[in-house]
Amino acid sequence: MPRDNSIQYELHRKSQWTDLSIEQLQWFQELNLSGFQMRVFIALKTYCWTDNRCFPSLDSIADRLGMTNKARRQQICNALKKLESCTLIKRKSKSSKPDRFTLAMSKSISVINDTQSSEYKDTNLNEDSTPLNPPNDLG
């Protein structure tokens, strides 16, 4: 049976999705990330499987974002530097494999340096706070 050469394969499936929590969206806002920097983080997140690690190349990230311009590698590098400085990602040793990333999925598991930690609110409930479901003792 002859091969059908008319089948077109997509480099990146357009129906692929990833989850993003409200906490992460608010964290992006607190860090004052640009839309492009957020898209790069989300693109990295689509490469993660069961853990928070991924290893796409700069060209793969740019392709996933649909970038076709000549400066796309530099734009991706700049966004990754910002994400790394905000502790949203950690890169492996730049000398061996610069395209290995570990993503921070929430503020509580990320490494926040001392200058940034004072900017975040303490959202822990006090023991004397009102419970979410009060008891049904009406009398």
Side-chain angles (χ1 to χ4, degrees):
M1 187 168 183
R3 251 185 216 190
D4 185 7
N5 292 336
S6 65
I7 298 174
Q8 297 291 325
Y9 293 99
E10 292 179 300
L11 183 59
H12 298 282
R13 294 180 327 176
K14 294 183 182 189
S15 62
Q16 186 173 352
W17 61 273
T18 188
D19 62 331
L20 192 66
S21 70
I22 293 171
E23 177 188 27
Q24 288 171 323
L25 289 174
Q26 291 173 351
W27 193 14
F28 295 159
Q29 180 66 30
E30 288 174 18
L31 293 171
N32 200 24
L33 294 182
S34 71
F36 181 70
Q37 292 160 347
M38 287 187 263
R39 289 193 304 272
V40 169
F41 181 84
I42 293 168
L44 285 175
K45 197 168 177 188
T46 63
Y47 284 102
C48 292
W49 286 69
T50 57
D51 58 1
N52 300 339
R53 295 185 187 133
C54 60
F55 44 93
S57 68
L58 298 177
D59 288 326
S60 292
I61 297 168
D63 289 342
R64 185 151 289 188
L65 293 174
M67 298 175 72
T68 57
N69 58 345
K70 291 181 182 178
R72 67 192 202 151
R73 289 176 62 103
Q74 185 61 45
Q75 291 172 327
I76 298 291
C77 281
N78 290 340
L80 291 172
K81 285 177 190 174
K82 174 66 175 178
L83 293 173
E84 190 173 19
S85 72
C86 293
T87 68
L88 285 167
I89 65 170
K90 284 185 186 178
R91 285 176 140 175
K92 289 289 183 189
S93 154
K94 290 181 171 80
S95 60
S96 61
K97 289 284 186 181
D99 56 351
R100 296 192 183 264
F101 307 96
T102 303
L103 279 61
M105 296 303 183
S106 71
K107 282 191 259 185
S108 60
I109 63 169
S110 70
V111 179
I112 300 173
N113 60 30
D114 294 334
T115 58
Q116 288 178 330
S117 62
S118 62
E119 297 175 12
Y120 297 106
K121 296 178 187 174
D122 183 16
T123 57
N124 295 334
L125 294 175
N126 296 331
E127 288 185 28
D128 61 345
S129 65
T130 306
L132 295 176
N133 295 321
N136 275 339
D137 293 4
L138 295 179

